[in-house]
Amino acid sequence: MQSEKDKMKAGEMYDPSDPELVKGRRKGHDRAQDFNRADTDEERKRIIKDLFGTTGETIKVEPTVRVDYGYNIHVGENFYANFNCVFLDVCPIRIGKNAMLGPGVSIVTPEHPLLPAERNSGYEFGRPVTVGDNCWIGADATIVGGSELGNNVVVAAGAVVNGVFPDNVVIGGVPARIIKNIPVNEQVQSS
């Protein structure tokens, strides 16, 4: 029989009041609080590397950070998250290398059923989020479960991302849509 944790990570309906999940959330919340109280960048880096599922070597996360579990968060090399980011990781959150998150970014994978009787049951489900390499997510953007961002994507500040977007685009708005393409073949001219 599948555990509630296995169901959760697979995106199936699960019971979040399951004792194993309650314990996992408590541990994630406690470690996030340890991170938020830490005095040095070195101490914060050590805690984040312990809290997140996987990380690159070069990462920096500013306080405060909030998580559901922490172990479903996977970030690549040269990851940066500015102040007050939220990662609700009932399903995996995978972020590629060279990613930057502005202040107040929220990445939320949990969802609740649409039908009131199902929603009132207390059961929920989630959908993973994938962010490619070289992405920049602007201040106060929200990325919801099931979203996928290709490589080199820029998300405008305040956007609500709910969908799949290709490489090399700027997206923004509520809901987010493609604003323009990014010409990645052009070299930056120095002055």
Side-chain angles (χ1 to χ4, degrees):
M1 181 175 205
Q2 226 180 0
S3 72
E4 295 301 310
K5 181 178 179 180
D6 291 337
K7 291 178 194 176
M8 177 187 79
K9 290 173 79 172
E12 299 172 14
M13 291 286 279
Y14 71 95
D15 179 359
S17 68
D18 176 77
E20 179 184 20
L21 295 178
V22 171
K23 182 178 177 183
R25 279 193 309 278
R26 186 174 305 117
K27 181 180 178 187
H29 296 172
D30 289 348
R31 291 303 283 155
Q33 287 294 49
D34 292 342
F35 170 85
N36 294 331
R37 288 190 297 261
D39 292 327
T40 66
D41 286 344
E42 187 173 295
E43 185 180 3
R44 282 191 285 271
K45 180 178 177 180
R46 181 183 54 76
I47 293 169
I48 283 293
K49 290 177 86 51
D50 177 60
L51 175 63
F52 285 8
T54 57
T55 72
E57 277 306 308
T58 305
I59 60 168
K60 182 162 183 181
V61 178
E62 303 285 0
T64 63
V65 68
R66 302 280 189 246
V67 303
D68 266 337
Y69 299 92
Y71 56 69
N72 279 328
I73 303 166
H74 307 277
V75 301
E77 192 64 33
N78 296 318
F79 174 75
Y80 176 75
N82 211 319
F83 297 99
N84 302 320
C85 287
V86 174
F87 303 90
L88 301 186
D89 61 311
V90 302
C91 279
I93 295 171
R94 297 190 186 283
I95 301 174
K97 64 185 178 190
N98 303 312
M100 298 187 304
L101 278 59
V105 167
S106 295
I107 302 177
V108 295
T109 65
E111 295 194 26
H112 302 279
L114 293 177
L115 297 175
E118 289 180 357
R119 191 170 50 250
N120 294 339
S121 74
Y123 278 69
E124 60 184 39
F125 65 97
R127 294 185 298 153
V129 168
T130 303
V131 176
D133 295 339
N134 309 308
C135 290
W136 172 24
I137 302 171
D140 294 316
T142 299
I143 301 175
V144 301
S147 295
E148 296 178 23
L149 303 181
N151 296 323
N152 311 313
V153 172
V154 174
V155 178
V160 176
V161 179
N162 183 11
V164 177
F165 293 90
D167 295 349
N168 310 316
V169 294
V170 176
I171 63 175
V174 179
R177 60 179 176 72
I178 295 174
I179 296 171
K180 66 180 180 178
N181 291 313
I182 299 172
V184 293
N185 328 8
E186 296 178 17
Q187 295 294 320
V188 174
Q189 300 294 321
S190 59
S191 26

